[in-house]
Amino acid sequence: MYTASPDRYAEMPYRRTGRSGLRLPALSLGLWHNFGPDRPVETQRAILRRAFDLGVTHFDLANNYGPPPGAAESALGAALAADLAPYRDELVISTKAGYLMWPGPYGEWGSRKYLLASLDQSLRRMGLDHVDIFYSHRPDPDTPLEETMGALHTAVQQGKALYVGISNYSADQTREAARVLAGLGTPLLVHQPRYSMLDRRPEDEGVLDALDELGVGSVVYSPLEQGLLTGRYLKGVPEGSRAAGDSPFLKPEAVTEDLVGRLRALQEIAVSRGQSLAQLALAWVLRGGRVTSALVGASSARQLEDSVGALRGLDFDPEELKRIDAIVRP
Protein backbone atom coordinates (compact mmCIF):
# COMPACT_ATOMS: atom_id res chain seq x y z
CA MET A 1 0.00 0.00 0.00
CA TYR A 2 1.48 3.33 -1.09
CA THR A 3 1.93 6.05 1.52
CA ALA A 4 3.09 9.42 0.24
CA SER A 5 6.29 10.94 1.57
CA PRO A 6 5.65 13.28 4.53
CA ASP A 7 8.30 15.61 3.05
CA ARG A 8 6.63 15.96 -0.35
CA TYR A 9 6.17 19.72 -0.01
CA ALA A 10 9.58 20.48 1.48
CA GLU A 11 11.52 21.35 -1.69
CA MET A 12 9.16 22.01 -4.61
CA PRO A 13 8.42 25.70 -5.33
CA TYR A 14 4.80 26.50 -6.22
CA ARG A 15 3.92 29.44 -8.44
CA ARG A 16 0.65 31.33 -8.61
CA THR A 17 -1.15 30.77 -11.92
CA GLY A 18 -1.77 34.22 -13.32
CA ARG A 19 -4.11 36.18 -11.06
CA SER A 20 -5.89 33.06 -9.79
CA GLY A 21 -5.69 31.42 -6.39
CA LEU A 22 -4.24 28.24 -7.89
CA ARG A 23 -0.54 27.54 -7.41
CA LEU A 24 1.20 24.96 -9.57
CA PRO A 25 4.52 23.19 -9.02
CA ALA A 26 7.39 24.68 -11.01
CA LEU A 27 7.63 21.29 -12.75
CA SER A 28 4.53 19.36 -13.80
CA LEU A 29 4.40 15.79 -15.11
CA GLY A 30 3.15 15.40 -18.66
CA LEU A 31 1.71 12.04 -19.68
CA TRP A 32 2.05 12.69 -23.41
CA HIS A 33 4.52 9.81 -23.84
CA ASN A 34 5.39 6.76 -21.73
CA PHE A 35 1.87 6.04 -20.46
CA GLY A 36 0.27 3.33 -22.57
CA PRO A 37 0.15 -0.44 -23.03
CA ASP A 38 3.66 -0.53 -24.51
CA ARG A 39 5.13 0.41 -21.10
CA PRO A 40 5.13 -1.76 -17.95
CA VAL A 41 2.28 -0.79 -15.67
CA GLU A 42 4.49 -0.86 -12.59
CA THR A 43 6.95 1.54 -14.21
CA GLN A 44 4.13 3.97 -14.95
CA ARG A 45 2.81 3.74 -11.39
CA ALA A 46 6.34 4.17 -9.97
CA ILE A 47 6.83 7.38 -11.96
CA LEU A 48 3.55 8.83 -10.70
CA ARG A 49 4.28 7.87 -7.10
CA ARG A 50 7.78 9.34 -7.25
CA ALA A 51 6.45 12.51 -8.85
CA PHE A 52 4.02 13.07 -6.00
CA ASP A 53 6.69 12.29 -3.41
CA LEU A 54 8.82 15.03 -5.01
CA GLY A 55 6.00 17.57 -4.79
CA VAL A 56 4.92 17.32 -8.44
CA THR A 57 1.22 17.71 -7.80
CA HIS A 58 0.13 18.53 -11.37
CA PHE A 59 -0.46 15.70 -13.86
CA ASP A 60 -1.20 16.91 -17.39
CA LEU A 61 -3.04 14.82 -19.98
CA ALA A 62 -5.14 15.07 -23.13
CA ASN A 63 -7.79 12.79 -24.56
CA ASN A 64 -5.45 11.64 -27.35
CA TYR A 65 -2.35 10.89 -25.25
CA GLY A 66 -1.07 7.34 -25.42
CA PRO A 67 -0.61 5.61 -27.72
CA PRO A 68 -3.30 4.57 -28.43
CA PRO A 69 -5.45 7.65 -27.79
CA GLY A 70 -7.02 7.49 -24.35
CA ALA A 71 -4.37 5.16 -22.94
CA ALA A 72 -2.67 7.78 -20.78
CA GLU A 73 -5.94 8.75 -19.11
CA SER A 74 -6.73 5.08 -18.49
CA ALA A 75 -3.24 4.58 -17.01
CA LEU A 76 -3.71 7.51 -14.68
CA GLY A 77 -7.12 6.20 -13.69
CA ALA A 78 -5.59 2.85 -12.73
CA ALA A 79 -2.81 4.57 -10.76
CA LEU A 80 -5.31 6.76 -8.94
CA ALA A 81 -7.35 3.72 -7.96
CA ALA A 82 -4.30 1.74 -6.85
CA ASP A 83 -2.15 4.41 -5.20
CA LEU A 84 -3.24 8.02 -5.30
CA ALA A 85 -6.99 8.10 -4.63
CA PRO A 86 -6.50 9.16 -0.97
CA TYR A 87 -4.55 12.18 -2.23
CA ARG A 88 -6.95 13.35 -4.96
CA ASP A 89 -7.53 16.73 -3.34
CA GLU A 90 -3.76 17.36 -3.30
CA LEU A 91 -3.52 16.83 -7.05
CA VAL A 92 -4.19 19.08 -10.02
CA ILE A 93 -5.29 16.92 -12.95
CA SER A 94 -5.75 18.51 -16.35
CA THR A 95 -6.91 17.19 -19.68
CA LYS A 96 -7.61 18.59 -23.13
CA ALA A 97 -9.72 18.03 -26.22
CA GLY A 98 -9.15 19.23 -29.77
CA TYR A 99 -7.32 16.57 -31.75
CA LEU A 100 -8.80 13.52 -33.47
CA MET A 101 -10.36 10.96 -31.12
CA TRP A 102 -13.06 9.15 -33.10
CA PRO A 103 -14.27 9.07 -36.72
CA GLY A 104 -16.87 11.33 -38.21
CA PRO A 105 -17.52 15.07 -38.02
CA TYR A 106 -17.85 15.21 -34.22
CA GLY A 107 -14.55 13.60 -33.20
CA GLU A 108 -12.12 16.53 -33.20
CA TRP A 109 -11.66 20.31 -33.23
CA GLY A 110 -13.69 22.73 -31.10
CA SER A 111 -17.42 22.22 -31.37
CA ARG A 112 -19.54 22.15 -28.23
CA LYS A 113 -20.66 18.63 -29.07
CA TYR A 114 -17.12 17.30 -29.36
CA LEU A 115 -15.59 19.08 -26.36
CA LEU A 116 -18.26 18.10 -23.85
CA ALA A 117 -18.54 14.51 -25.13
CA SER A 118 -14.77 14.18 -24.97
CA LEU A 119 -14.64 15.47 -21.41
CA ASP A 120 -17.23 12.90 -20.34
CA GLN A 121 -15.14 10.16 -21.93
CA SER A 122 -11.98 11.45 -20.24
CA LEU A 123 -13.65 11.46 -16.84
CA ARG A 124 -14.79 7.85 -17.32
CA ARG A 125 -11.28 6.74 -18.29
CA MET A 126 -9.75 8.39 -15.24
CA GLY A 127 -12.53 7.38 -12.85
CA LEU A 128 -13.09 11.01 -11.82
CA ASP A 129 -16.13 13.21 -11.41
CA HIS A 130 -14.17 16.33 -12.40
CA VAL A 131 -10.80 17.55 -13.62
CA ASP A 132 -9.08 20.59 -12.23
CA ILE A 133 -8.29 22.14 -15.62
CA PHE A 134 -10.00 21.47 -18.97
CA TYR A 135 -8.30 22.85 -22.08
CA SER A 136 -9.23 23.57 -25.65
CA HIS A 137 -6.21 21.83 -27.17
CA ARG A 138 -6.10 23.89 -30.38
CA PRO A 139 -8.09 26.68 -32.02
CA ASP A 140 -10.70 25.60 -34.52
CA PRO A 141 -10.69 27.73 -37.69
CA ASP A 142 -14.26 26.76 -38.56
CA THR A 143 -16.06 26.98 -35.21
CA PRO A 144 -16.88 30.35 -33.65
CA LEU A 145 -14.64 31.02 -30.68
CA GLU A 146 -17.77 31.86 -28.67
CA GLU A 147 -18.95 28.25 -29.10
CA THR A 148 -15.63 26.72 -28.07
CA MET A 149 -15.24 28.98 -25.04
CA GLY A 150 -18.90 28.48 -24.22
CA ALA A 151 -18.31 24.73 -24.01
CA LEU A 152 -15.43 25.30 -21.56
CA HIS A 153 -17.72 27.53 -19.50
CA THR A 154 -20.41 24.83 -19.51
CA ALA A 155 -17.89 22.27 -18.21
CA VAL A 156 -17.29 24.52 -15.21
CA GLN A 157 -21.01 25.17 -14.72
CA GLN A 158 -21.65 21.41 -14.77
CA GLY A 159 -19.00 20.85 -12.09
CA LYS A 160 -16.86 18.76 -14.43
CA ALA A 161 -13.93 21.21 -14.42
CA LEU A 162 -12.74 23.76 -11.88
CA TYR A 163 -10.74 25.92 -14.29
CA VAL A 164 -10.30 26.23 -18.04
CA GLY A 165 -7.34 26.76 -20.34
CA ILE A 166 -6.26 26.93 -23.95
CA SER A 167 -3.29 25.49 -25.81
CA ASN A 168 -1.57 26.39 -29.08
CA TYR A 169 -3.52 29.66 -29.46
CA SER A 170 -1.87 32.76 -30.94
CA ALA A 171 -1.52 35.98 -28.96
CA ASP A 172 -4.58 37.55 -30.61
CA GLN A 173 -6.63 34.37 -30.20
CA THR A 174 -5.62 34.26 -26.54
CA ARG A 175 -6.82 37.82 -25.97
CA GLU A 176 -10.13 37.07 -27.66
CA ALA A 177 -10.61 33.80 -25.76
CA ALA A 178 -9.97 35.62 -22.48
CA ARG A 179 -12.48 38.32 -23.45
CA VAL A 180 -15.21 35.82 -24.31
CA LEU A 181 -14.64 33.77 -21.17
CA ALA A 182 -14.65 36.87 -18.97
CA GLY A 183 -18.02 37.82 -20.42
CA LEU A 184 -19.35 34.40 -19.46
CA GLY A 185 -17.99 34.66 -15.93
CA THR A 186 -15.37 31.90 -16.25
CA PRO A 187 -11.89 33.45 -16.35
CA LEU A 188 -9.14 32.03 -18.51
CA LEU A 189 -6.70 30.40 -16.09
CA VAL A 190 -3.81 29.20 -18.22
CA HIS A 191 -2.29 28.84 -21.67
CA GLN A 192 -0.14 25.89 -22.70
CA PRO A 193 2.31 26.85 -25.47
CA ARG A 194 5.34 25.02 -26.78
CA TYR A 195 8.47 26.79 -25.51
CA SER A 196 12.15 25.96 -25.17
CA MET A 197 15.61 27.43 -25.70
CA LEU A 198 15.30 26.20 -29.30
CA ASP A 199 11.68 27.30 -29.86
CA ARG A 200 11.14 30.95 -28.97
CA ARG A 201 7.81 31.48 -30.70
CA PRO A 202 5.93 32.42 -27.50
CA GLU A 203 8.44 35.26 -27.10
CA ASP A 204 8.71 36.23 -30.76
CA GLU A 205 4.98 36.09 -31.52
CA GLY A 206 3.84 37.89 -28.38
CA VAL A 207 2.10 35.05 -26.55
CA LEU A 208 4.03 35.60 -23.32
CA ASP A 209 3.36 39.34 -23.56
CA ALA A 210 -0.37 38.66 -23.95
CA LEU A 211 -0.37 36.39 -20.90
CA ASP A 212 1.41 39.03 -18.83
CA GLU A 213 -1.10 41.63 -19.99
CA LEU A 214 -4.11 39.40 -19.20
CA GLY A 215 -2.85 37.94 -15.92
CA VAL A 216 -3.04 34.40 -17.31
CA GLY A 217 -0.64 31.63 -16.28
CA SER A 218 1.48 29.46 -18.56
CA VAL A 219 2.36 25.78 -18.48
CA VAL A 220 4.89 25.21 -21.25
CA TYR A 221 5.32 21.92 -23.08
CA SER A 222 8.35 20.43 -24.84
CA PRO A 223 10.89 22.46 -22.82
CA LEU A 224 13.41 19.72 -23.69
CA GLU A 225 12.46 19.93 -27.38
CA GLN A 226 11.42 16.28 -27.79
CA GLY A 227 14.63 15.09 -26.12
CA LEU A 228 17.08 17.20 -28.15
CA LEU A 229 17.98 19.10 -24.97
CA THR A 230 18.57 16.01 -22.83
CA GLY A 231 22.10 15.33 -23.98
CA ARG A 232 21.21 12.20 -25.94
CA TYR A 233 22.06 13.83 -29.26
CA LEU A 234 25.51 15.27 -28.52
CA LYS A 235 27.05 12.75 -30.92
CA GLY A 236 24.22 12.64 -33.44
CA VAL A 237 21.21 10.33 -33.49
CA PRO A 238 21.71 7.41 -31.07
CA GLU A 239 20.15 4.02 -31.63
CA GLY A 240 16.89 3.61 -29.78
CA SER A 241 16.25 7.36 -29.51
CA ARG A 242 13.03 9.10 -30.52
CA ALA A 243 14.66 10.53 -33.65
CA ALA A 244 15.84 7.07 -34.66
CA GLY A 245 12.31 5.68 -34.45
CA ASP A 246 9.10 6.55 -36.23
CA SER A 247 8.15 9.53 -34.09
CA PRO A 248 6.21 12.16 -36.07
CA PHE A 249 7.58 14.81 -33.70
CA LEU A 250 11.32 14.36 -34.22
CA LYS A 251 12.81 13.18 -37.51
CA PRO A 252 16.46 12.09 -37.90
CA GLU A 253 17.04 14.71 -40.59
CA ALA A 254 16.31 17.41 -37.97
CA VAL A 255 19.46 16.43 -36.07
CA THR A 256 21.90 18.25 -38.33
CA GLU A 257 25.61 18.72 -37.80
CA ASP A 258 24.97 22.39 -37.06
CA LEU A 259 22.37 21.52 -34.40
CA VAL A 260 24.66 18.99 -32.75
CA GLY A 261 27.34 21.67 -32.55
CA ARG A 262 24.91 24.02 -30.84
CA LEU A 263 23.85 21.31 -28.39
CA ARG A 264 27.48 20.69 -27.48
CA ALA A 265 28.00 24.39 -26.84
CA LEU A 266 24.96 24.45 -24.59
CA GLN A 267 26.30 21.38 -22.81
CA GLU A 268 29.47 23.33 -21.99
CA ILE A 269 27.36 26.03 -20.32
CA ALA A 270 25.44 23.40 -18.38
CA VAL A 271 28.65 21.81 -17.12
CA SER A 272 29.97 25.21 -16.03
CA ARG A 273 26.78 25.64 -13.96
CA GLY A 274 26.98 22.15 -12.45
CA GLN A 275 23.91 21.01 -14.37
CA SER A 276 23.00 18.47 -17.00
CA LEU A 277 21.87 19.85 -20.36
CA ALA A 278 18.28 18.92 -19.50
CA GLN A 279 18.51 20.78 -16.20
CA LEU A 280 19.89 23.85 -17.98
CA ALA A 281 17.01 23.77 -20.46
CA LEU A 282 14.40 23.49 -17.72
CA ALA A 283 16.00 26.20 -15.63
CA TRP A 284 16.07 28.47 -18.68
CA VAL A 285 12.31 28.30 -19.32
CA LEU A 286 11.60 28.82 -15.62
CA ARG A 287 14.00 31.74 -15.24
CA GLY A 288 12.57 34.95 -13.85
CA GLY A 289 9.19 33.46 -12.94
CA ARG A 290 7.45 34.42 -16.18
CA VAL A 291 6.47 30.79 -16.85
CA THR A 292 4.24 29.21 -14.20
CA SER A 293 5.26 25.60 -14.74
CA ALA A 294 7.24 23.48 -17.21
CA LEU A 295 5.92 20.11 -18.31
CA VAL A 296 8.37 17.21 -18.24
CA GLY A 297 7.90 13.64 -19.37
CA ALA A 298 9.66 10.72 -17.76
CA SER A 299 10.39 7.14 -18.77
CA SER A 300 11.70 6.33 -15.28
CA ALA A 301 11.63 7.71 -11.76
CA ARG A 302 15.35 8.47 -12.03
CA GLN A 303 14.81 10.63 -15.10
CA LEU A 304 12.16 12.56 -13.22
CA GLU A 305 14.54 13.09 -10.30
CA ASP A 306 17.12 14.57 -12.68
CA SER A 307 14.52 17.03 -13.97
CA VAL A 308 13.57 18.11 -10.47
CA GLY A 309 17.26 18.75 -9.81
CA ALA A 310 17.00 21.71 -12.21
CA LEU A 311 15.09 23.62 -9.55
CA ARG A 312 18.24 24.02 -7.49
CA GLY A 313 19.72 26.34 -10.14
CA LEU A 314 17.16 28.70 -11.65
CA ASP A 315 19.25 31.86 -11.51
CA PHE A 316 21.23 33.05 -14.54
CA ASP A 317 23.63 35.91 -14.78
CA PRO A 318 23.29 38.21 -17.82
CA GLU A 319 26.45 36.84 -19.42
CA GLU A 320 25.12 33.27 -19.34
CA LEU A 321 21.89 34.37 -21.03
CA LYS A 322 23.87 36.22 -23.69
CA ARG A 323 25.97 33.10 -24.36
CA ILE A 324 22.86 30.96 -24.72
CA ASP A 325 21.27 33.42 -27.12
CA ALA A 326 24.48 33.60 -29.15
CA ILE A 327 24.39 29.81 -29.54
CA VAL A 328 20.72 29.31 -30.39
CA ARG A 329 20.01 32.67 -32.09
CA PRO A 330 23.24 33.70 -33.81
Side-chain angles (χ1 to χ4, degrees), residues 185-268:
T186 296
L188 176 62
L189 174 79
V190 66
H191 187 298
Q192 191 172 123
R194 179 169 178 155
Y195 184 46
S196 75
M197 288 194 293
L198 300 178
D199 187 344
R200 304 291 190 86
R201 283 175 294 175
E203 292 177 15
D204 297 339
E205 298 173 3
V207 171
L208 294 183
D209 290 337
L211 299 182
D212 291 342
E213 167 194 320
L214 296 166
V216 172
S218 57
V219 176
V220 302
Y221 72 92
S222 292
L224 302 180
E225 202 60 32
Q226 293 295 312
L228 286 175
L229 292 169
T230 63
R232 293 197 72 187
Y233 297 89
L234 296 176
K235 297 181 180 179
V237 179
E239 188 175 342
S241 67
R242 186 169 296 168
D246 57 358
S247 171
F249 304 106
L250 183 59
K251 301 294 186 182
E253 55 267 25
V255 187
T256 63
E257 185 176 336
D258 176 70
L259 175 60
V260 171
R262 295 175 192 272
L263 296 177
R264 289 174 180 167
L266 291 171
Q267 170 75 359
E268 291 178 7

Side-chain angles (χ1 to χ4, degrees), residues 163-188:
Y163 302 92
V164 299
I166 57 176
S167 182
N168 300 307
Y169 279 54
S170 71
D172 287 345
Q173 290 168 334
T174 298
R175 290 186 178 93
E176 184 64 9
R179 184 193 67 78
V180 172
L181 284 167
L184 294 170
T186 296
L188 176 62

Side-chain angles (χ1 to χ4, degrees), residues 5-14 51-57 90 308 311-312:
S5 168
D7 300 322
R8 57 190 177 276
Y9 297 115
E11 302 292 337
M12 176 64 65
Y14 296 86
F52 188 53
D53 283 345
L54 290 169
V56 179
T57 53
E90 296 182 48
V308 172
L311 301 177
R312 293 190 288 270

Side-chain angles (χ1 to χ4, degrees), residues 29 35 44-52 59 76 79 84:
L29 181 64
F35 288 84
Q44 297 175 46
R45 287 177 55 189
I47 292 168
L48 292 164
R49 292 192 299 263
R50 186 58 180 144
F52 188 53
F59 298 155
L76 179 63
L84 294 167

